[in-house]
């Protein structure tokens, strides 16, 4: 729940239909590559639910989120069609006792931090 508190994400009730795990395209080292469903690309609370699911048992957790509007095959390294569709990154370092969530600037979410 640390990610939820730090970023002010509002969680929904457990068991919602939209609460299914998002596809993990793969991992490289500590980083997991997760595909965001098109209808959730700008849904901050949905990211919080996924972060909780993906990082619950990990002191250090790095997740890169991507859209896949063209339905490219999920492989690592990511195909260029997916790599160009980054939506957000999440970093939690157990060693540094720090975490950070950043949106992709291409989503133009106003005053939110972005990359």
């Amino acid at each position: 729940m640390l990610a939820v508190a730090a970023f002010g994400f509002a969680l929904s009730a457990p068991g919602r239909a939209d609460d299914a795990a998002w596809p993990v395209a793969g991992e490289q080292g500590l980083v997991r590559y997760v595909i965001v469903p098109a209808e959730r690309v700008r849904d901050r609370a949905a990211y919080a639910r996924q972060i909780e699911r993906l990082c619950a048992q990990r002191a250090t957790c790095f997740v890169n989120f991507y859209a896949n509007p063209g339905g490219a095959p999920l492989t690592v390294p990511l195909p260029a069609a997916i790599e160009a569709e980054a939506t957000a990154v999440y970093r939690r370092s157990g060693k540094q006792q720090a975490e950070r969530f950043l949106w992709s600037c291409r989503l133009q979410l106003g005053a939110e931090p972005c990359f």
Side-chain angles (χ1 to χ4, degrees):
M1 284 294 183
L2 182 59
V4 174
F7 298 107
F9 292 132
L11 291 179
S12 61
R16 284 180 43 175
D18 65 351
D19 224 10
W22 293 349
V24 176
E27 296 184 32
Q28 284 186 316
L30 295 175
V31 181
R32 281 185 275 178
Y33 299 91
V34 176
I35 306 303
V36 181
E39 68 276 6
R40 297 287 176 239
V41 168
R42 296 171 186 260
D43 183 345
R44 195 171 176 144
Y47 284 87
R49 291 188 296 273
Q50 295 303 311
I51 290 167
E52 178 64 23
R53 172 178 279 116
L54 292 162
C55 300
Q57 302 301 318
R58 297 179 178 212
T60 297
C61 187
F62 299 157
V63 184
N64 292 355
F65 294 97
Y66 297 87
N68 186 10
L74 302 183
T75 61
V76 173
L78 294 173
I82 296 175
E83 184 72 33
E85 297 291 332
T87 62
V89 297
Y90 174 75
R91 301 288 184 261
R92 179 170 69 209
S93 170
K95 183 177 180 179
Q96 300 293 325
Q97 294 296 302
E99 63 182 335
R100 184 160 192 166
F101 179 89
L102 295 170
W103 291 108
S104 169
C105 295
R106 75 178 179 79
L107 294 177
Q108 298 179 347
L109 294 174
E112 295 285 335
C114 68
F115 62 94

